[in-house]
Amino acid sequence: MAPRYSVFGNNPIELKTRKALRVMGRLIEGWSIDPDSRPAGARTELDGRLIVFPRAALQKTLEGLPDADRLTEDDYELRDNIAEIELLLRRPDRFSIVLPEPEAIEFQHRALQQDLWPTVTLPMVYGDIPWDTASQDWAVHVEIAEMRDDDPAGYMVQLSGENPLDEFLRPYLAGYCCTQCS
């Protein structure tokens, strides 16, 4: 078995708990439909579809949330060198793909070259589906009542197989990057 240290751990933001997923999801939903909900000081670039605001504005937004939604360092981590956050609104006549960082993809290739198994973090919600009830034709079903705010947001999956990039990583990237919103 490959060692479990083959993890790319330099994500721009890491949402560590379900609470962080819930809170950030609610913020993203609001930002997409209500320009007034965006952090103070947000500016637009390009044709008005790129919204940019400083890191401090995100932190102030998070600090202004009700106590039940207040995030701590146990819930999320924003990489130190992140100075600004970008929100991209798609144009109706365009298909947008948000590319992963080149360093992350290069890391997965290096892992394979060193005979390690590449590793990805998947949302924990998929870990809650009992394998004996899963079917490719069924929608994802999760008992929401069983989810707790302090549960982990994700779980590690090590990629194996003859070509783990083709068998898992690339389809997962295509699914994530092409269908970020339904």
Side-chain angles (χ1 to χ4, degrees):
M1 174 178 268
R4 297 201 174 269
Y5 54 76
S6 57
V7 178
F8 181 80
N10 195 19
N11 297 317
I13 188 168
E14 180 182 356
L15 302 177
K16 301 177 184 179
T17 63
R18 289 182 192 270
K19 178 180 179 180
L21 291 173
R22 175 177 54 78
V23 169
M24 288 302 295
R26 186 179 302 138
L27 288 173
I28 291 167
E29 178 186 11
W31 295 337
S32 71
I33 59 175
D34 181 10
D36 293 334
S37 71
R38 296 176 190 148
R43 68 183 188 280
T44 59
E45 296 179 1
L46 303 175
D47 61 354
R49 294 199 169 266
L50 182 65
I51 300 103
V52 182
F53 50 89
R55 176 190 188 115
L58 174 64
Q59 291 170 328
K60 186 172 183 178
T61 297
L62 294 174
E63 290 167 3
L65 294 172
D67 287 343
D69 291 339
R70 191 89 29 91
L71 299 180
T72 69
E73 62 186 28
D74 292 333
D75 296 308
Y76 84 104
E77 182 178 350
L78 191 58
R79 194 170 61 200
D80 289 340
N81 69 340
I82 300 296
E84 295 182 312
I85 289 83
E86 295 179 339
L87 308 176
L88 176 65
L89 288 172
R90 295 182 182 159
R91 279 182 27 179
D93 61 337
R94 285 190 181 162
F95 164 55
S96 302
I97 297 174
V98 178
L99 298 175
E101 292 183 318
E103 297 84 1
I105 301 304
E106 290 167 3
F107 177 90
Q108 302 292 5
H109 284 267
R110 281 194 312 275
L112 276 179
Q113 290 168 357
Q114 297 170 12
D115 291 327
L116 301 173
W117 290 347
T119 305
V120 296
T121 302
L122 291 180
M124 200 62 183
V125 70
Y126 295 108
D128 296 331
I129 303 170
W131 286 108
D132 58 345
T133 63
S135 169
Q136 291 181 339
D137 299 330
W138 295 358
V140 173
H141 173 70
V142 176
E143 291 292 333
I144 300 299
E146 293 177 11
M147 294 178 162
R148 296 181 325 213
D149 273 353
D150 59 347
D151 284 346
Y155 68 104
M156 302 309 253
V157 173
Q158 291 210 313
L159 315 182
S160 61
E162 189 173 325
N163 185 346
L165 297 181
D166 261 351
E167 292 173 23
F168 186 87
L169 184 62
R170 291 178 182 137
Y172 177 73
L173 279 175
Y176 172 74
C177 291
C178 297
T179 59
Q180 294 176 46
C181 190
S182 56

